[in-house]
Amino acid sequence: MKLQRMNRRALALGALAVSGALALTACGSDDTGTSSGGSSAAAKPGSIKCDDAKGQLLADGSSAQKNAIDAWVKQFAVACQGVQINYKGGGSGAGVTAFTQGRVAFAGSDSALKPDEVTASKKVCSGGQGIDLPMVGGPIAVGYNVNGVDNLVLDASTLAKIFNNEITNWNDPAIKKLNPEAKLPDLKIQAFHRSDDSGTTDNFTKYLMATAKKDWPYDGGKTWQAKGGQSAAGSSGLAQQVKQTNGAISYFELSYAKDGMKTVDLDTGAAQPVKATVENATKAISEAKVVGTGKDLALELNYGTKAEGAYPMVLVTYEIVCDKGNKSDTLPATKAFLRYIASEEGQKVLAENDYAPIPDDIIAQVRTTIDGLS
């Protein structure tokens, strides 16, 4: 009976720790998405090594990975009760800025650091620089809300014209050609894009540039460049607009396409249109190549793949951290958290929350790099 009371007390303390960590994680966040499944891949007792980590860990960045961060924090907080993690999720642009200004221990970004950002990072990474650690993969889903249309196929050219305000009605001939069986209404298209600088925008437009350059005459980047359309902040903001607006279409990480939201199947040139699923995204991400130098593990994605069952509109979120010169008061907690999320247990959490784990050969390099952070 005494042992049972002790177990109950330990569970209660664990629950309180999770609650406190989640409250901190949500504080000030621009994104309120929650993970779609609760993680059954709970870390085994003792498998998360805290290494005497303690204190508050501030981070900001990619809203696309926020649901993954939330799921990881639930597990990490139970094992490392001396660490409180506050991940704001204000967007990739905000995260990189906060990192280069020395305001966060690490940042999340759906785009690798650019040369000028690496240069800026050297001011806060004493004797080192910011590096990219690929940690979260997943499909960029194109969610839509058109009453009476439950299945929709689009190709890159048509998507480009929709988001460039050249196709403005749902019964446009180009959409009809791809969906001969659908009852497409005479309804104005409401195309929503991100109002904030976003790595999801960067990857979405990289896909269009790689596969429909004629119809997408822009340079790409985190800032939206096309004409027309409407905007909202964060992945959750776009998802909310699609849910409440008949005729809406937008792009966001798959974990935000919930509560019955319909998503577009991509006509990639393969034999069959490809659905936005974790499995199909993993097939595309498996073609990625490491192009970073030194300890930087930036990837080059193959947006133009036509492999059967490969969904090429994908993103990889990087955790950005100093290779050398991390602040001594946050380094132990940073390494402990990154070590967990890169572990086999941590990566298993991803698939259960509509994300794609990083391929084995690449995540192995990430683990080695984390161990060497100083």
Side-chain angles (χ1 to χ4, degrees):
M1 292 296 293
K2 183 177 180 180
L3 181 60
Q4 291 177 340
R5 287 196 298 272
M6 291 175 65
N7 286 340
R8 286 197 297 269
R9 186 169 185 271
L11 288 171
L13 288 172
L16 285 171
V18 171
S19 176
L22 289 177
L24 279 166
T25 304
C27 180
S29 174
D30 292 331
D31 264 89
T32 56
T34 54
S35 59
S36 60
S39 176
S40 63
K44 298 176 183 178
S47 65
I48 299 177
K49 297 180 180 179
C50 304
D51 294 337
D52 297 324
K54 58 184 179 180
Q56 188 179 59
L57 201 60
L58 300 178
D60 194 3
S62 165
S63 64
Q65 74 164 1
K66 189 175 184 301
N67 290 337
I69 293 285
D70 287 351
W72 280 326
V73 166
K74 290 179 184 180
Q75 302 297 333
F76 186 79
V78 173
C80 305
Q81 297 181 22
V83 181
Q84 297 173 321
I85 299 175
N86 182 344
Y87 183 81
K88 188 177 180 182
S92 296
V96 171
T97 297
F99 178 76
T100 56
Q101 292 178 351
R103 294 188 280 112
V104 293
F106 71 91
S109 177
D110 307 322
S111 302
L113 290 169
K114 292 180 171 58
D116 62 321
E117 293 168 339
V118 173
T119 299
S121 74
K122 293 179 179 180
K123 297 179 181 178
V124 296
C125 300
S126 180
Q129 65 177 53
I131 57 173
D132 302 287
L133 302 178
M135 201 73 74
V136 182
I140 300 173
V142 178
Y144 70 97
N145 180 353
V146 181
N147 291 341
V149 180
D150 295 326
N151 297 288
L152 186 67
V153 175
L154 296 175
D155 59 15
S157 175
T158 307
L159 274 172
K161 291 176 180 177
I162 287 173
F163 282 92
N164 200 29
N165 204 37
E166 293 178 3
I167 292 179
T168 58
N169 222 59
W170 280 108
N171 63 354
D172 188 275
I175 302 177
K176 283 185 176 181
K177 183 177 180 180
L178 291 164
N179 300 272
E181 304 299 322
K183 295 182 179 180
L184 296 166
D186 182 7
L187 176 69
K188 182 181 178 181
I189 295 174
Q190 307 281 351
F192 287 88
H193 58 265
R194 288 282 287 270
S195 60
D196 53 326
D197 283 359
S198 160
T200 310
T201 292
D202 191 15
N203 284 274
F204 176 64
T205 55
K206 279 179 179 175
Y207 168 76
L208 297 179
M209 289 165 59
T211 55
K213 184 62 177 176
K214 178 182 176 182
D215 302 306
W216 194 257
Y218 302 103
D219 297 331
K222 296 186 182 76
T223 303
W224 186 258
Q225 297 176 325
K227 60 186 180 183
Q230 303 177 64
S231 64
S235 295
S236 64
L238 293 182
Q240 184 60 36
Q241 291 296 331
V242 172
K243 289 177 184 177
Q244 67 188 23
T245 308
N246 186 32
I249 186 170
S250 192
Y251 58 93
F252 30 76
E253 213 283 331
L254 181 62
S255 67
Y256 290 91
K258 296 176 293 188
D259 302 326
M261 185 183 295
K262 296 167 287 189
T263 59
V264 168
D265 294 350
L266 281 183
D267 182 344
T268 64
Q272 297 293 329
V274 187
K275 294 185 177 298
T277 68
V278 168
E279 294 77 14
N280 293 344
T282 298
K283 291 179 182 178
I285 294 172
S286 67
E287 298 184 21
K289 297 179 181 179
V290 175
V291 294
T293 58
K295 294 184 178 180
D296 187 86
L297 298 175
L299 301 179
E300 181 178 84
L301 299 170
N302 182 9
Y303 296 103
T305 182
K306 296 181 181 179
E308 295 298 328
Y311 185 88
M313 194 190 300
V314 296
L315 59 78
V316 169
T317 293
Y318 302 94
E319 310 312 332
I320 296 172
V321 67
C322 298
D323 58 354
K324 298 178 183 179
N326 290 280
K327 294 179 181 178
S328 59
D329 58 337
T330 58
L331 179 59
T334 299
K335 290 182 71 170
F337 184 65
L338 294 181
R339 186 184 295 118
Y340 161 59
I341 66 179
S343 70
E344 184 177 349
E345 292 90 347
Q347 289 289 296
K348 283 181 180 177
V349 170
L350 293 176
E352 298 177 357
N353 290 275
D354 294 325
Y355 293 94
I358 300 300
D360 290 344
D361 58 333
I362 298 174
I363 202 66
Q365 297 179 61
V366 171
R367 293 166 186 156
T368 299
T369 303
I370 292 170
D371 287 339
L373 297 179
S374 63

